[in-house]
């Protein structure tokens, strides 16, 4: 667990204020408060699904306020698919699945460039199927083993 040192970035690539403005733009939200609500709901939900080094490394890429929302969640024992993630988010927030999907896309579109391609690939390998599309990436099918 401690065999590979990680760089400790003292300042994230984006401030929380800038992140909220980016999410507000991506989601076409009328207010900054609505964008902040989406950020907290989506990152809390992601924090319940993501574990291991990927969770820690993703938190290091985020502004402190966003990282705290992600890491404050206890990982859920249910591993949800991408669609299950959206349905669970809708149920927890009282939103429709369409609104939950919209919020997820707006927030994760902002998280994607902060994570970078290498970390994003690791995150997607850690999560069940269906999350790539939520992060704005192509969902590539994993080859199934040939029948013997």
């Amino acid at each position: 667990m401690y065999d590979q040192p990680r760089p400790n970035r003292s300042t994230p690539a984006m401030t929380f204020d800038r992140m909220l403005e980016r999410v507000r733009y991506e989601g076409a939200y009328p207010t900054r408060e609505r964008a902040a609500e989406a950020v907290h709901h989506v990152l809390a939900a992601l924090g319940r699904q993501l574990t291991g080094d990927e969770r820690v490394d993703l938190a290091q890429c985020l502004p402190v306020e966003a990282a705290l929302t992600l890491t404050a969640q206890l990982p859920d024992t249910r591993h949800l698919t991408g669609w299950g993630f959206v349905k669970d988010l809708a149920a927890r927030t009282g939103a429709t699945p369409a609104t939950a999907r919209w919020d997820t896309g707006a927030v994760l579109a902002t998280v994607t460039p902060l994570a970078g391609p290498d970390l994003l690939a690791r995150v997607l390998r850690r999560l069940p199927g269906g999350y790539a599309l939520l992060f704005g990436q192509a969902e590539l099918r994993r080859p199934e083993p040939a029948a013997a």
Side-chain angles (χ1 to χ4, degrees):
M1 179 179 333
Y2 297 105
D3 56 339
Q4 296 182 2
R6 290 190 192 105
N8 186 9
R9 296 186 335 171
S10 59
T11 56
M14 182 182 283
T15 66
F16 190 63
D17 287 337
R18 180 74 181 116
M19 181 182 197
L20 291 181
E21 286 305 314
R22 187 72 201 158
V23 169
R24 183 176 177 194
Y25 174 80
E26 289 289 336
Y29 297 118
T31 65
R32 182 182 147 100
E33 290 74 24
R34 178 63 183 94
E37 183 180 292
V39 166
H40 289 295
H41 288 309
V42 172
L43 290 181
L46 185 60
R48 288 189 291 275
Q49 293 299 307
L50 191 58
T51 60
D53 290 341
E54 291 75 18
R55 176 183 166 116
V56 173
D57 292 346
L58 182 60
Q60 287 181 337
C61 296
L62 299 174
V64 172
E65 298 88 336
L68 290 173
T69 298
L70 177 80
T71 58
Q73 305 304 309
L74 292 175
D76 199 334
T77 56
R78 298 175 302 144
H79 299 288
L80 302 173
T81 64
W83 176 237
F85 176 89
V86 170
K87 290 191 308 186
D88 183 65
L89 181 61
R92 287 176 185 265
T93 61
T96 66
T99 299
R101 174 61 181 96
W102 185 270
D103 290 348
T104 300
V107 173
L108 297 184
T110 302
V111 169
T112 295
L114 294 175
D118 294 336
L119 177 55
L120 183 59
R122 288 178 35 223
V123 165
L124 292 175
R125 279 193 300 272
R126 167 80 62 180
L127 295 168
Y131 282 86
L133 293 173
L134 299 177
F135 280 94
Q137 306 295 303
E139 181 78 40
L140 301 176
R141 290 187 59 146
R142 294 179 181 132
E144 296 179 23

